[in-house]
Amino acid sequence: MHVIVHGGAGSAPDEPEPRQAVLNDAAETGAAESSVVDAVEEATRVLESSPRFNAGVGGAVQSDGAIRTDAGLMTDDREAGAACSMPGVEHAVSAARVVMDETPHVLVSGDRAVELAADFGVETGVDLWSEETREKWADLDSTPEGTPREHLDWLTEKFGGSPDDAEGDDSANEDPTDRDPKDHDTVGAVAYDPASDEFAAATSTGGRWLALAGRVGDVPQIGSGFFAAPAGAASATGAGEDIAKTTLTRRAVRHLESGHEAQAAADRAIEEFAELTGSSAGVILLDGGGNAGSAFNSEAMQTAVAGRSPTE
């Protein structure tokens, strides 16, 4: 089993070594599984349980003071499931798998997604606040109240320009003390089993710091946060709205389908993304040769790879 994982594309982390250790553990955990679906789920669960990443425990806080998680999972035979906007669900990837395995649907959201996950044994009601996010929320000089329009007005006033600026990392007017340093620390995993020639991809996130309550980004959208096909599979991270608008993972896998190996496909996808959007993102891929690829145009993106290619 071949597995590659990422811990998000964004600014350079303050403590890269401990984060890398968690990523290495996640990749090894996934590579020890016997199916590609188990591999990406178990690898992602390791990352969701670490407060060093913006997924599961330690997820970003939305404008109403709630942490909501999203995830998506897909296999190369077009089986897919996603779940989003879930309070109290640490392992969003497992909720996404429930949607894929147990329902005729692709995406379930909100409280109903939480209830569905609980019905099939996924733990709910989890306290997703980490010490860091509690301190970050407490340090805000103000928090929005009232209607969604009032939340949007607060975001516009606080961050300047469009309310979307609160969700990015390049607002010129933004107070750096108000931005979560883990804004882009979405996590993901891609697996390839050379014995069965099967692929799977999964991506999980706690969203964006101070996003409008209920905001859902690219992560649970097929072809945006995650995608798998017979040619390979991909997971993305970064500026969520722009990733969704450009369907970044579908774009990356299309380059695999055109005959590029994983690294070249990743490079081309990020180059195109940057040209189209001017935003930052990262993507990881595996191809049918057992090759791993990763590319990003942000300051940093940590990854880990486990498993050996068939020729080794």
Side-chain angles (χ1 to χ4, degrees):
M1 187 72 66
H2 307 282
V3 174
I4 181 171
V5 300
H6 70 73
S11 57
D14 293 334
E15 298 179 311
E17 293 82 5
R19 292 176 87 257
Q20 189 63 50
V22 180
L23 287 162
N24 293 344
D25 181 33
E28 293 290 347
T29 297
E33 296 296 327
S34 59
S35 77
V36 289
V37 174
D38 289 342
V40 294
E41 180 183 13
E42 294 306 317
T44 304
R45 284 174 64 95
V46 171
L47 300 172
E48 290 172 331
S49 292
S50 171
R52 294 185 180 279
F53 303 96
N54 178 14
V57 175
V61 185
Q62 295 193 332
S63 66
D64 62 349
I67 297 172
R68 298 176 175 90
T69 58
D70 312 328
L73 187 155
M74 187 174 186
T75 64
D76 62 272
D77 59 357
R78 292 182 299 151
E79 292 297 314
C84 68
S85 205
M86 297 182 292
V89 177
E90 175 182 351
H91 295 301
V93 69
S94 296
R97 184 170 183 178
V98 168
V99 175
M100 182 179 75
D101 288 348
E102 306 293 347
T103 82
H105 309 305
V106 169
L107 175 62
V108 180
S109 68
D111 291 341
R112 295 303 186 188
V114 177
E115 293 171 5
L116 175 67
D119 239 13
F120 286 91
V122 178
E123 186 179 6
T124 60
V126 180
D127 180 3
L128 301 180
W129 288 78
S130 68
E131 181 178 347
E132 180 182 358
T133 51
R134 289 185 192 281
E135 291 176 355
K136 196 74 176 175
W137 179 257
D139 286 344
L140 289 173
D141 55 22
S142 66
T143 55
E145 298 179 354
T147 67
R149 183 185 292 273
E150 289 173 308
H151 280 232
L152 285 170
D153 289 344
W154 180 88
L155 291 171
T156 301
E157 178 183 358
K158 188 168 188 60
F159 294 98
S162 163
D164 289 341
D165 291 340
E167 298 172 359
D169 64 352
D170 54 2
S171 171
N173 298 322
E174 183 179 343
D175 180 350
T177 64
D178 291 333
R179 182 174 62 82
D180 188 340
K182 297 185 289 145
D183 247 2
H184 293 304
D185 290 0
T186 289
V187 303
V190 179
Y192 172 60
D193 183 355
S196 61
D197 195 29
E198 293 176 329
F199 292 93
T203 307
S204 179
T205 190
R208 301 294 287 273
W209 179 250
L210 295 185
L212 181 67
R215 176 263 189 187
V216 176
D218 65 294
V219 166
Q221 299 187 50
I222 295 173
S224 298
F226 65 104
F227 193 76
S235 171
T237 170
E241 278 68 22
D242 286 330
I243 289 173
K245 292 173 185 177
T246 57
T247 56
L248 178 56
T249 53
R250 181 66 186 98
R251 182 180 298 272
V253 172
R254 188 177 294 120
H255 290 314
L256 295 178
E257 294 169 339
S258 298
H260 292 86
E261 290 191 350
Q263 187 56 53
D267 289 337
R268 292 197 62 175
I270 292 299
E271 288 170 4
E272 292 169 350
F273 175 83
E275 290 172 1
L276 288 168
T277 69
S279 296
S280 63
V283 65
I284 58 172
L285 297 97
L286 287 174
D287 64 29
N291 303 299
S294 66
F296 58 95
N297 66 338
S298 57
E299 186 177 350
M301 182 178 76
Q302 289 180 277
T303 63
V305 178
R308 297 190 300 174
S309 69
T311 58
E312 289 182 335

